[in-house]
């Protein structure tokens, strides 16, 4: 009798020890790999539900199939993942359905600000395309007409007269304006602008960069600053080194010709009342925030525009390329889409009451003569893109989702270097621009994250100990 | 004789389940829910309660 009891006791204790070893093995990720998944069937644990509610539904169940999921009808949505230790990288896989959303991206928050490192999950422009397809390394090249036999040929000499769409790829080229001559005229912009500005201008070989900015702090309660940076081909060549609240001039000589980017780092409390320059060409990229009141004319090549205001007085009818657009809501982005003209056509926007933000996929100028497009006809693809208007599409680092009978599985890998804190609490976002405007939604059935780090070997432990002692 | 064996076995099960449960509960709260991701602590608690009831019931019987 005693023997039976003894054997039973030893068996139970052994099972308990095995249980603790398995849990600790997982906790310390001794193998270097740790996997976590959530299928929305129960209360969330290490992976949260998608949020916020309003953009996603509560957890739902299909009683026929037993599938559990959340339905995403707006974007962006977020979810958090808690890991027991810090890892070096994470591969996130999503099981979902997507009937019609053109682009879905997954992002990892890598800074204390709300800035996410976005990567593609699904791009229907590429997946559904019947264009000639070439793949090379991690690039996918689609051609409407078969003009190139290799991606290298195409990249070696990008055809500047053709319309090219890029996705998740930044093309390298030097913008140049043939027959450009410096002007002796002064371009004076009296329209007030609010917040951070990203200007592009073009200089002849022996032309000096000459700008002056007058600005005010619209919120005297907090001290706001302005910092000016100048870039050539993404290399910073000038920093005014001061963030003092004063009007600023830039006069730079011997720069050499070419395209220059000027960034005015400022908060939305900063209002630029006047900008003067000796440069002929001056455009703002993707965004223009008109401040003050009164009418203003702006020119753009963007085919889609988003308007936003938080001022009742700025609600109005806006004239865009002869069409009327009614801005009738405050604190909400309202979209205008060009359906009449050709891709990237130059258009005038006439605003009666300023104090509104305009965003687009292109450039803005204040006079027709100062407008130029530093991207030639090269555009970054977005959900509103009409791909049939382009000649080529080049995508980088994109793999189509795996199609299963009812669900799709898409994955992306993230390097966790640079994630703030101890890298144990990660925040992800699912971005699907334009989803709120289409009737069909995205159902997410499962989130799986596989983390990786070097295996925990005796050698690694020893090295870490030595490093800590040192 | 048989009752005595069953009582002993249930007593051992109860003790080990009790110790395991509280260690796991402590680990779970330290690791912010890591243990309960792998183990359903509710089921663990139910098992502990069932064995405790059985243990008390058998203890009363054997003491008679």
């Amino acid at each position: 009798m005693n023997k039976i009891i003894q054997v039973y006791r030893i068996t139970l204790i052994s099972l308990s020890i095995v249980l603790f070893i398995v849990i600790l093995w997982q906790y310390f990720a001794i193998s270097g790999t740790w996997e976590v998944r959530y299928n929305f069937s129960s209360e969330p644990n290490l992976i949260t539900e998608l949020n916020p509610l309003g953009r996603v539904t509560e957890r739902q169940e299909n009683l026929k199939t037993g599938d559990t999921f959340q339905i995403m009808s707006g974007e962006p949505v977020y979810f958090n993942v808690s890991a027991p230790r810090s890892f070096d990288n994470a591969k996130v896989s999503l099981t979902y359905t997507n009937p019609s959303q053109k682009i879905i991206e997954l992002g990892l928050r890598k800074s204390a600000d709300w800035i996410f490192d976005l990567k593609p999950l699904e791009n229907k422009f590429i997946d559904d395309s019947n264009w000639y397809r070439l793949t090379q390394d991690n690039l996918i090249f689609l051609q409407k007409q078969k003009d190139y036999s290799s991606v290298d040929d195409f990249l070696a000499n990008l055809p500047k007269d053709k319309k090219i769409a890029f996705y998740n790829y930044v093309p390298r080229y030097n913008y140049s304006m043939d027959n450009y001559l410096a002007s002796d005229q002064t371009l004076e912009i009296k329209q007030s602008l609010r917040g951070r500005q990203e200007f592009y201008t073009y200089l002849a070989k022996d032309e000096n960069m000459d700008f002056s900015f007058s600005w005010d702090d619209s919120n005297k309660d907090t001290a706001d600053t302005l910092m000016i940076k100048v870039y050539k081909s993404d290399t910073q060549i000038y920093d005014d080194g001061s963030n003092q609240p004063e009007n600023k001039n830039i006069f730079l000589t011997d720069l050499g010709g070419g395209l220059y980017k000027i960034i005015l780092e400022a908060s939305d409390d900063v209002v630029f009342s006047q900008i003067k320059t000796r440069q002929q060409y001056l455009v703002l990229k993707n965004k223009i925030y008109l401040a003050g009141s009164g009418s203003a004319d702006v020119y753009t090549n963007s085919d889609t525009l988003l308007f936003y205001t938080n001022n009742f007085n700025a609600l109005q009818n806006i004239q865009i390329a002869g069409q009327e657009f009614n801005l009738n809501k405050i604190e909400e982005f309202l979209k205008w889409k060009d359906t009449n003209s050709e891709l990237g056509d130059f258009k005038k926007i006439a605003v009666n009451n300023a104090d509104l933000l305009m965003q687009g996929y292109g450039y803005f100028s204040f006079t027709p003569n100062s407008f130029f497009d530093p991207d030639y006809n090269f555009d970054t693809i977005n959900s509103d893109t009409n791909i049939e208007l382009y000649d080529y599409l080049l995508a980088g680092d994109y793999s189509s989702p795996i199609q299963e009978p009812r669900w799709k599985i898409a994955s992306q890998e993230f390097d966790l270097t640079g994630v703030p804190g101890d890298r144990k609490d990660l925040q992800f976002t699912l971005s699907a621009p334009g989803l709120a405007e289409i009737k069909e939604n995205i159902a997410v059935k499962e989130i799986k994250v596989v983390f990786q780090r070097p295996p925990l070997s005796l050698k690694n432990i020893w090295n870490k100990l030595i490093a800590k002692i040192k | 004789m048989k009752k005595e064996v069953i009582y002993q076995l249930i007593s051992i099960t109860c003790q080990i389940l009790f110790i395991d449960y509280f260690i796991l509960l402590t680990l779970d709260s330290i690791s912010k829910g890591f243990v309960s991701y792998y183990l359903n602590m509710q089921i663990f608690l139910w098992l502990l309660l069932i064995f405790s009831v059985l243990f008390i019931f058998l203890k009363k019987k054997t003491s008679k």
Side-chain angles (χ1 to χ4, degrees):
Chain A
M1 188 182 98
N2 275 346
K3 204 176 175 189
I4 293 171
I5 290 168
Q6 205 60 19
V7 168
Y8 185 69
R9 189 193 297 271
I10 290 167
T11 310
L12 271 190
I13 291 171
S14 305
L15 281 174
S16 299
I17 290 169
V18 168
L19 179 69
F20 287 120
I21 288 173
V22 168
I23 287 172
L24 291 175
W25 185 276
Q26 291 292 332
Y27 186 82
F28 289 106
I30 289 167
S31 64
T33 303
W34 180 66
E35 183 185 308
V36 60
R37 54 174 80 201
Y38 180 50
N39 65 4
F40 303 97
S41 63
S42 56
E43 284 296 315
N45 196 335
L46 300 175
I47 299 180
T48 64
E49 290 177 4
L50 300 174
N51 60 80
L53 286 175
R55 294 182 198 163
V56 280
T57 60
E58 301 263 11
R59 284 185 281 127
Q60 297 189 7
E61 184 175 358
N62 182 330
L63 295 174
K64 261 187 189 172
T65 59
D67 291 332
T68 45
F69 48 84
Q70 275 187 284
I71 293 174
M72 183 179 161
S73 56
E75 67 91 40
V77 300
Y78 305 95
F79 62 93
N80 291 50
V81 181
S82 299
R85 298 175 62 77
S86 42
F87 288 87
D88 296 338
N89 59 60
K91 186 179 180 184
V92 185
S93 302
L94 233 75
T95 307
Y96 66 99
T97 58
N98 171 31
S100 51
Q101 172 63 26
K102 294 283 187 193
I103 294 175
I104 305 176
E105 292 180 320
L106 180 70
L108 168 67
R109 189 173 173 181
K110 276 199 165 179
S111 74
D113 301 322
W114 283 79
I115 297 168
F116 289 82
D117 172 21
L118 284 171
K119 293 190 172 191
L121 271 189
E122 183 174 4
N123 185 318
K124 282 189 187 286
F125 292 115
I126 299 168
D127 299 340
D128 300 347
S129 176
N130 56 6
W131 290 6
Y132 296 98
R133 183 179 293 244
L134 284 173
T135 51
Q136 185 183 307
D137 303 327
N138 57 352
L139 298 174
I140 298 171
F141 179 47
L142 303 173
Q143 314 176 62
K144 199 188 263 177
Q145 306 290 328
K146 199 175 179 184
D147 299 324
Y148 294 89
S149 55
S150 82
V151 183
D152 284 338
D153 288 350
F154 175 73
L155 287 174
N157 194 9
L158 289 171
K160 292 174 180 116
D161 55 330
K162 298 282 187 176
K163 289 176 175 164
I164 309 172
F166 290 98
Y167 180 66
N168 200 35
Y169 182 86
V170 180
R172 290 188 180 277
Y173 57 91
N174 285 325
Y175 180 82
S176 67
M177 241 183 230
D178 298 335
N179 308 321
Y180 171 80
L181 292 170
S183 156
D184 54 358
Q185 303 284 311
T186 299
L187 176 65
E188 196 172 335
I189 299 161
K190 289 183 176 168
Q191 172 58 49
S192 298
L193 296 172
R194 186 182 290 282
R196 183 184 188 273
Q197 311 293 330
E198 186 175 330
F199 288 106
Y200 284 79
T201 190
Y202 192 82
L203 267 68
K205 200 176 177 186
D206 50 357
E207 189 177 357
N208 301 322
M209 182 179 283
D210 188 353
F211 276 89
S212 73
F213 303 98
S214 305
W215 65 284
D216 275 317
D217 183 358
S218 64
N219 181 3
K220 304 289 183 198
D221 295 340
T222 56
D224 286 290
T225 57
L226 165 65
M227 190 173 279
I228 302 173
K229 293 171 183 172
V230 180
Y231 294 82
K232 184 175 189 182
S233 305
D234 288 329
T235 307
Q236 189 176 319
I237 57 162
Y238 173 79
D239 176 346
D240 75 336
S242 147
N243 55 11
Q244 294 305 305
E246 59 195 13
N247 293 338
K248 297 200 177 184
N249 299 311
I250 315 176
F251 188 80
L252 304 176
T253 56
D254 302 323
L255 290 176
L259 182 71
Y260 289 84
K261 176 165 76 175
I262 302 159
I263 292 185
L264 310 183
E265 292 289 358
S267 76
D268 279 353
D269 286 341
V270 169
V271 173
F272 296 92
S273 52
Q274 193 179 53
I275 298 168
K276 276 186 188 177
T277 179
R278 298 298 294 269
Q279 268 59 65
Q280 268 187 76
Y281 293 101
L282 185 69
V283 287
L284 280 156
K285 189 176 186 181
N286 293 344
K287 184 198 104 169
I288 183 167
Y289 198 155
L290 303 175
S293 56
S295 62
D297 290 345
V298 175
Y299 301 84
T300 187
N301 63 346
S302 176
D303 297 319
T304 306
L305 293 164
L306 289 169
F307 292 90
Y308 176 92
T309 185
N310 49 18
N311 181 352
F312 273 109
N313 295 327
L315 298 180
Q316 61 191 291
N317 283 328
I318 300 168
Q319 296 288 329
I320 313 165
Q323 301 169 41
E324 203 159 84
F325 176 75
N326 189 10
L327 178 62
N328 54 9
K329 285 179 186 164
I330 64 161
E331 294 179 350
E332 197 173 313
F333 278 95
L334 298 180
K335 187 192 265 185
W336 173 86
K337 197 172 172 184
D338 192 357
T339 48
N340 293 342
S341 49
E342 282 284 305
L343 177 71
D345 267 3
F346 182 65
K347 46 190 90 63
K348 179 181 170 183
I349 306 167
V351 174
N352 296 321
N353 296 304
D355 204 6
L356 59 92
L357 171 68
M358 286 182 236
Q359 287 182 353
Y361 302 105
Y363 292 88
F364 297 89
S365 75
F366 298 94
T367 66
N369 293 336
S370 62
F371 186 89
F372 75 114
D373 183 353
D375 294 337
Y376 295 109
N377 289 314
F378 307 162
D379 293 321
T380 301
I381 212 168
N382 63 72
S383 291
D384 290 316
T385 299
N386 181 355
I387 199 68
E388 290 307 319
L389 300 177
Y390 288 84
D391 300 298
Y392 308 104
L393 193 164
L394 183 70
D397 282 326
Y398 175 70
S399 311
S400 301
I402 300 163
Q403 181 69 59
E404 293 203 329
R406 281 183 295 125
W407 301 90
K408 284 179 182 177
I409 301 172
S411 304
Q412 260 306 345
E413 203 158 337
F414 293 90
D415 181 0
L416 303 184
T417 315
V419 171
D422 56 7
R423 290 189 284 165
K424 289 181 185 172
D425 293 306
L426 307 175
Q427 187 175 27
F428 291 92
T429 185
L430 259 180
S431 167
L435 180 65
E437 293 157 31
I438 57 176
K439 285 176 187 167
E440 292 162 307
N441 300 322
I442 296 168
V444 181
K445 183 182 168 239
E446 187 181 72
I447 301 166
K448 182 175 109 177
V449 188
V450 180
F451 289 94
Q452 295 280 352
R453 54 176 286 147
L456 202 62
S457 62
L458 284 174
K459 194 181 168 191
N460 285 346
I461 294 169
W462 177 251
N463 288 342
K464 276 188 181 174
L465 269 175
I466 295 291
K468 281 212 169 175
I469 291 164
K470 280 180 181 175
Chain B
M1 176 75 178
K2 234 181 178 182
K3 262 185 193 169
E4 184 63 26
V5 174
I6 293 168
Y7 168 72
Q8 286 287 339
L9 292 177
I10 287 176
S11 166
I12 292 165
T13 312
C14 252
Q15 286 168 35
I16 291 175
L17 269 179
F18 185 81
I19 294 164
D20 282 359
Y21 181 73
F22 280 97
I23 292 175
L24 288 171
L25 207 63
T26 312
L27 283 177
D28 194 47
S29 68
I30 291 169
S31 63
K32 296 178 192 167
F34 183 82
V35 176
S36 52
Y37 175 74
Y38 289 99
L39 284 174
N40 192 330
M41 299 297 279
Q42 292 285 335
I43 291 175
F44 225 94
L45 184 63
W46 274 111
L47 277 173
L48 182 60
L49 286 173
I50 290 164
F51 277 101
S52 303
V53 170
L54 276 173
F55 171 70
I56 293 163
F57 176 75
L58 283 173
K59 190 178 171 74
K60 275 185 182 172
K61 284 241 167 182
T62 46
S63 59
K64 274 178 192 172

